[in-house]
Each structure stands twice: as C-alpha cells, then as structure tokens.
Amino acid sequence: MSESKSEPKSEPKSEIAPETASPLEQSESEIVASRRAKLKRFREELGFEPYGQREDGLLARSDARTRFSESAHVAFDLASKEAKAAGTAANAAADTRAVVRVAGRVVQHRDMGKLVFLFLRDATGDLQISVSKSSVAANAFELAKHADYGDILVAEGPIGRTNKGEICVWATSISLGTKSLAAPPEKWHGLTDPELRYRRRYVDMYANPETAKVFAMRARIVSRIRRFMDARGFLEVETPVLQPIAGGAAARPFTTHHNALDMPLFMRIAPELYLKRCLVGGMRKVYEINRNFRNEGIDRSHNPEFTAMEVYEAFGDYGTMMELTESLIHDLAVSMIDERRAAGLRVDADLAEGGPTLPWGELAINYAKPFVRVKFEDLFRQGAGCEMRDFAAVRAKARELGLHHEAKLDDWLVVNEVFEECAEPLIDPCRPTFVTDYPSAVSPLTRPSRTDPALCERWDIFIGGMEVGPAYTELNDPDIQLAKFTEQLKGADDEESTFRTLDEDFVESLRVGMPPAGGLGIGIDRLVMLLTDSASIRDVILFPLLKSMGASSPDAGASDESGKGA
RNA sequence: GAUUGCGUAGCUCAGUCGGUAGAGCAGCGGCCUUUUAAGCCGUAGGUCCUGGGUUCAAGUCCCAGCGCAAUCACCA
C-alpha cells in the first residue's frame, strides 16, 4: 500500500514443514480406504479396469430416453410372461425394444438382492439402470451390487420400464468407467455448503444439476452473443491481456513480470485502448469477449477476473450502441424462454405483454423493447428535487444526505454523488433502463455533447439494480485526450502513480487518426446472472476466486520464543 | 476495510441451564428380483475451525485469529 518500506513482511527462510504424510494421505478416511479396497477387488477379482477405456456409441441420457417405446415394452412384457407361463424361453427376435449404451455417475443405488437399481447421471439428467442377476454376467452383477455413489459406470441393454413406470435400461452388460475414491456428498440433501460448492465445484456440478445447467446456459448465451455480433458484421479480435500500461479504466491492476525482457507487465483492466487502435488501423467494426482483471474487492457482483465484451464501431456513436445493446439483450432474453423451458425451470414469462419477462430473485424483469430511456439530468431533478446545475442547491442536498466530505469535492462530483444516492434508486429494477447524457466532468474519456458542453454522449444501462455496461461516443481528438490523461495523472496519489502511466503510443495512434466511433462495454457475467436467475457472480463463474485454505505453515514449528505455558 | 451471523462425523444437521458427543444418509457385515430419499438386523466412524482464558468441569461462556455468507464501504 502507501508504505512500501524495505521491511519484508515474512521471514525469507521459507522452511518447508516436513509433513509425515501428504494432505491427501492424511485425509484418507475409512470411506476412502474401503473404496480403495473395492477398486482392488474390481480389478483383481472381477476383471474390470477401474479407470476405464474408450467407449463408442454412448448416448446421452436425454437421447436414450427418447428411444423408449411403450408398444415395444408392452409387447416384450407380454411375450416374456407368456413364455414364462409356457415354461419356455422368450423369443429374443420378438424383442423390438431399442438397445442403448449409456454412461454416467452413480447417484442412487438400491440393492434388492438379486435385482439392483442404479441411477446414472450425466450432464443431461438421470437414467435408471436395472440390473437383474439373471441378465448379466456374474462379475457384472457383482460390480452393480457393490458400485459406490460417485462411480462412473457404462451400461448397455434394451430400454424399457419397470412395474412402477420408471423408464430404465435393462442391463445386459455393465462395466466400470472410473472408480471414485472420494466420499460423495449426501445423496438427498446434496452439497449445500456454499463454500464447499465453490471450492469443490467438480462435485457441485454433478451433485447439483442446476449448477451444470447454468454453465450450459452461459455457454449458449455467449455463443448467441457472438452470432449476433458476427451477423452484424463485427470482427472478433483478441488484444493483449498482458499490457505494459494498464489503461482503459481506472481500476487497480494485477502486476506481473516478464523474465526474458525483464519488464513489468499488468494484467489488463480493459481492452479499450487496443480496440481503438484497431479502428485506427482501419477495422470498421470490432468486438472482443475476454477476461479483464481488477485488483479490487469481491462481492456478489465482483470477481477479480471477469468477462466483458467491448464493441467499437467506426462512424457510429452512443446511439448506435444503444440500438445494438437493446436488440442484443432483448434477443437474449427471448432465447431464455426456451432455455428455461428446456431446463425445466419456471417459465411465467410470456411474450403477450410485448416482451419476455424473466425472474431474477424476487424481481420479474421485463425485457420488452424499447427499454426505458431517461436523461441523467431529468432523473437527477426527480430524485434530488433540484436542478443539477444549481450547485448551491446540490451541495445543500448533499449535506442534507449526510455526504460530509461534500466540501472537498468538485461541483460535478457532488452532483454525481447526489445522483447515485437519490436518483439511481428511482430506476425501475424490473425494466432495463438507459441513463443518458452524463455530465462531461465525470466522464473524462467521452466526447462532449455537441449541443451542451456540460454533458457528454454517454449512457449506462441498469438492469435489476445492477450496472451492466456503459457506452460512449468515443473521444478521438488526440489533443483533448492527451490533456485529459495528463489531468488524470495529476490527480493520482502515490499508490495510483505506481501503475498509472501515460499511454503515449495510444495518443500517437489518435494522431494518426481514429474515425469517429461508438464504443460499448458489457459485463458478460452480470448479464448471465440476470438471464439465468443467479444471485451471485460466483454462480456464473465456474471457479471463482476464494481465499486459499491451509495457510498453517507460518506458525508451524518456527522459532517461537513466545513463552508457552504460564 | 466495518458490522452481523455461521463453522460439530465424508455429507445434511441436532446438541436444553456449562456436567461422559447425537441423528439421518454415506461406510462396513448380513437379508431381500420391481425400488423411487427403498426397507430390515448388526457394526464402525469425532482436532466440536485454530489458539488462549474463566471454571472443579467448556461443543456451550470470554478474548484473539482463520474461513465462509449477508449487509455496508470501495470499485469512472
């Protein structure tokens, strides 16, 4: 932080605590031990390879179930009952049931003696496998009987149903896909501890099918965004994640270092300055969907690395970007109706009211076009009860609100604070809302309005109370840009100046000449949260950052003169 | 960063007034050819997050720390 004295925080000794057993071995519980014993038995006594092999012709659970034919099932059932009554073997040729080959993780196991029911789970759902002692080889029956929760099995057989109506595969063969050694979560309650769900996401994903569904939906949402952008003639580009200067936003960056070049580098906080260089180079319409990294706090809507889309269109402006954003988000919302239906989620949304309505927590967000548009100045007046340009009134309002540091702030910053306090809460969280024409003073990288220099051509879109993204008519005057950068650097404190540097090459690119342009940034994670009804950004990021566990080494056996005992 | 809450068996959770650590599922050994959280009989399983303190006695009360969550602050 501010004090970077030459005092090392930790002892440089770095002595590695010699552990008697590895953490994995230490955690070897009775359950794991019995699974290891079983693995050995499956391999040595039953002849199954515990880590499987290539399998061809596997059907997803959802496809396998569509192969079920009631008539084939009834015909076979009748034929086998008659054969049994007549004391003869059933005519195998008369069996018209489809034969399927499936694989999945054991999530239910019911041993009835000579008949074993298993539920195998794959990414598309659960499918029952019924294993009769009389229908499979002896070793396969033993495998089915002693399979553990979490094991991955491969099964083949005709698809029929049970007396209770459960569609199932009547197995004729069973083999081991992979033996699971770890203790599984509780089979009914599953894994509910949020910390364990994030730390052991690989368990969460199979134990809680909703989790996997959200990530499948996320993948399709991102695909749709790309198709939308491609169809509009945008070129997807990839710009540096490792940047010598962290520009394009004001966040604190992560720092790193390139050894061969002996050069400090920053993980990017935004791709903006490189995408603009693409416009200078002659690309008319570009976008990038990629990770940004910001060394800031973590909460329900912030993860240190997050996915953003930035879009730049030459000869566009913030109005162009507004139309694009509105169409994109509307189209995505429409597609979520079918997504939710397919995922078996609540669909009280309907298009009759002029647009799709999707639940987000307690809210029902209506994505009908057009989205709400409100001018910053009008919303301010409505919320604060005074004109934003009447600074005396605004400051009075700020003091009334208890914004005690008001006196230290520039007029427009006070306006901004009062706006966030009084006006933003007025935005209907159930309607996507563009707040337009921000004060120029709080938007340094935006082109000032041609009609009113106090304002600038910028909007922010709010959905569900979250800021999903801003758009600008981009500033492309190199002299003004340079002046703004210089001003920004002047205001930087000690900490900021360690990572904030003037990007002279970017200014130079503007001197070469960047066409007038509209630019847009959208937080993909937040958009996915809204569309998938997820409360936290961690629910839409597969492996969110958590604090590391097991930092017990510092005080392990080090030199301790702390008087122990009294 | 602040406040509040939580942390007990592999998992999901009880644990009263401070008095020998509990259940279900999972595990292990049995029985069962139509189960749907299957059932029945038997059995085993604990660093009560960590470290101090108070007390004859602490899972329980106090202090500090660690982790997680929520809210707030921060984040153009």
Side-chain angles (χ1 to χ4, degrees):
Chain A
M1 308 299 262
S2 54
E3 75 216 299
S4 52
K5 307 273 159 55
S6 60
E7 172 191 281
K9 288 197 184 102
S10 56
E11 294 296 318
K13 301 172 69 169
S14 86
E15 68 176 25
I16 295 159
E19 307 239 315
T20 50
S22 79
L24 279 177
E25 285 167 322
Q26 279 183 335
S27 72
E28 192 92 328
S29 68
E30 180 194 357
I31 290 175
V32 175
S34 77
R35 283 172 175 244
R36 282 194 184 278
K38 234 178 231 186
L39 183 151
K40 192 164 185 282
R41 184 178 165 224
F42 287 168
R43 173 185 275 149
E44 293 175 4
E45 291 178 32
L46 304 182
F48 290 105
E49 165 50 43
Y51 293 104
Q53 60 188 8
R54 166 175 165 173
E55 299 287 344
D56 293 323
L58 290 177
L59 284 181
R61 170 267 187 193
S62 51
D63 295 329
R65 279 179 71 99
T66 64
R67 305 290 177 92
F68 172 72
S69 157
E70 180 65 22
S71 57
H73 167 76
V74 170
F76 174 80
D77 207 35
L78 194 65
S80 49
K81 274 176 187 151
E82 283 171 353
K84 195 175 179 184
T88 62
N91 180 5
D95 186 358
T96 58
R97 297 175 302 171
V99 172
V100 298
R101 191 166 174 76
V102 297
R105 208 179 275 281
V106 176
V107 292
Q108 291 291 351
H109 183 263
R110 300 190 188 100
D111 179 358
M112 311 298 297
K114 296 190 180 65
L115 181 65
V116 177
F117 298 112
L118 300 149
F119 271 86
L120 296 189
R121 175 171 295 172
D122 68 16
T124 66
D126 298 349
L127 181 61
Q128 180 168 301
I129 312 298
S130 305
V131 187
S132 166
K133 189 174 187 182
S134 60
S135 303
V136 296
N139 64 337
F141 187 70
E142 280 301 295
L143 174 64
K145 212 171 166 60
H146 296 286
D148 285 320
Y149 287 83
D151 288 355
I152 298 172
L153 296 184
V154 180
E156 183 175 301
I159 189 148
R161 61 173 168 77
T162 64
N163 291 348
K164 296 286 172 63
E166 181 78 37
I167 292 175
C168 70
V169 175
W170 284 101
T172 52
S173 76
I174 298 265
S175 63
L176 194 52
T178 293
K179 182 80 192 82
S180 173
L181 294 177
E186 214 263 1
K187 69 178 177 184
W188 177 244
H189 297 93
L191 193 66
T192 60
D193 180 344
E195 182 175 357
L196 281 179
R197 291 183 60 190
Y198 297 138
R199 288 195 192 279
R200 312 192 73 209
R201 185 69 101 181
Y202 40 86
V203 175
D204 178 37
M205 287 166 71
Y206 90 77
N208 297 308
E210 325 78 76
T211 302
K213 280 180 185 170
V214 165
F215 290 106
M217 284 193 279
R218 176 180 176 129
R220 288 189 292 267
I221 289 167
V222 173
S223 292
R224 271 183 217 114
I225 294 172
R226 286 204 160 92
R227 283 202 295 277
F228 180 97
M229 297 304 295
D230 295 345
R232 286 188 170 222
F234 284 85
L235 205 60
E236 181 173 11
V237 297
E238 295 182 81
T239 66
V241 167
L242 293 176
Q243 304 180 347
I245 296 170
R252 278 193 295 272
F254 289 93
T255 60
T256 183
H257 183 263
H258 189 280
N259 290 340
L261 299 179
D262 189 20
M263 170 186 175
L265 287 170
F266 301 97
M267 308 290 283
R268 74 165 178 208
I269 54 177
E272 171 157 351
L273 302 187
Y274 286 96
L275 290 171
K276 286 178 170 172
R277 285 173 169 95
C278 292
L279 296 192
V280 172
M283 288 177 169
R284 277 290 183 84
K285 301 162 88 172
V286 296
Y287 75 103
E288 177 164 10
I289 297 175
N290 218 321
R291 218 70 66 80
N292 291 341
F293 306 83
R294 296 189 180 177
N295 207 338
E296 310 273 1
I298 297 177
D299 63 29
R300 227 171 55 248
S301 60
H302 294 84
N303 194 62
E305 56 180 297
F306 63 100
T307 303
M309 175 169 78
E310 286 204 11
V311 180
Y312 292 86
E313 178 169 357
F315 299 103
D317 68 1
Y318 78 144
T320 319
M321 293 297 111
M322 187 183 287
E323 187 282 325
L324 182 138
T325 304
E326 185 179 66
S327 295
L328 172 62
I329 293 179
H330 176 267
D331 286 7
L332 291 174
V334 169
S335 74
M336 291 312 294
I337 303 289
D338 286 339
E339 281 279 351
R340 295 183 60 82
R341 208 164 267 140
L345 295 171
R346 182 164 57 97
V347 178
D348 47 24
D350 66 297
L351 294 158
E353 294 296 318
T357 300
L358 298 174
W360 192 58
E362 300 301 305
L363 303 175
I365 301 179
N366 178 253
Y367 292 89
K369 287 206 280 190
F371 293 173
V372 176
R373 289 157 169 76
V374 58
K375 283 188 162 41
F376 183 97
E377 187 159 17
D378 294 339
L379 197 59
F380 184 96
R381 187 182 305 114
Q382 202 184 330
C386 64
E387 289 298 326
M388 71 175 184
R389 297 173 205 242
D390 182 352
F391 296 138
V394 172
R395 285 188 182 277
K397 182 72 187 175
R399 285 190 294 271
E400 181 191 322
L401 291 168
L403 302 173
H404 40 275
H405 56 297
E406 156 268 331
K408 290 180 290 185
L409 293 179
D410 173 81
D411 288 337
W412 283 109
L413 287 177
V414 178
V415 168
N416 200 41
E417 297 244 336
V418 171
F419 180 84
E420 284 174 10
E421 200 69 25
C422 304
E424 275 185 17
L426 297 181
I427 300 169
D428 180 0
C430 295
R431 289 283 292 140
T433 301
F434 292 106
V435 177
T436 68
D437 303 295
Y438 275 65
S440 202
V442 298
S443 316
L445 302 187
T446 311
R447 179 186 281 215
S449 163
R450 275 150 282 195
T451 54
D452 185 345
L455 304 180
C456 66
E457 299 194 352
R458 163 188 166 189
W459 54 253
D460 274 32
I461 182 167
F462 292 84
I463 310 176
M466 268 193 305
E467 193 184 336
V468 175
Y472 308 145
T473 299
E474 301 297 340
L475 180 61
N476 62 340
D477 180 327
D479 295 335
I480 298 180
Q481 181 71 85
L482 179 58
K484 298 242 183 197
F485 275 158
T486 308
E487 190 184 343
Q488 190 180 17
L489 286 172
K490 239 175 19 196
D493 59 26
D494 287 353
E495 187 205 348
E496 283 177 315
S497 54
T498 63
F499 59 78
R500 205 153 285 168
T501 320
L502 176 63
D503 191 339
E504 292 180 33
D505 179 71
F506 172 67
V507 177
E508 174 60 18
S509 78
L510 293 186
R511 291 195 189 105
V512 171
M514 183 179 94
L520 164 69
I522 288 187
I524 298 296
D525 309 284
R526 290 181 183 181
L527 192 57
V528 172
M529 283 170 65
L530 289 161
L531 295 172
T532 60
D533 191 15
S534 300
S536 166
I537 198 166
R538 290 180 163 177
D539 297 327
V540 300
I541 290 176
L542 273 168
F543 303 103
L545 185 68
L546 298 178
K547 275 202 188 178
S548 309
M549 298 293 284
S552 57
S553 45
D555 58 311
S559 55
D560 59 314
E561 15 267 2
S562 55
K564 54 176 66 172

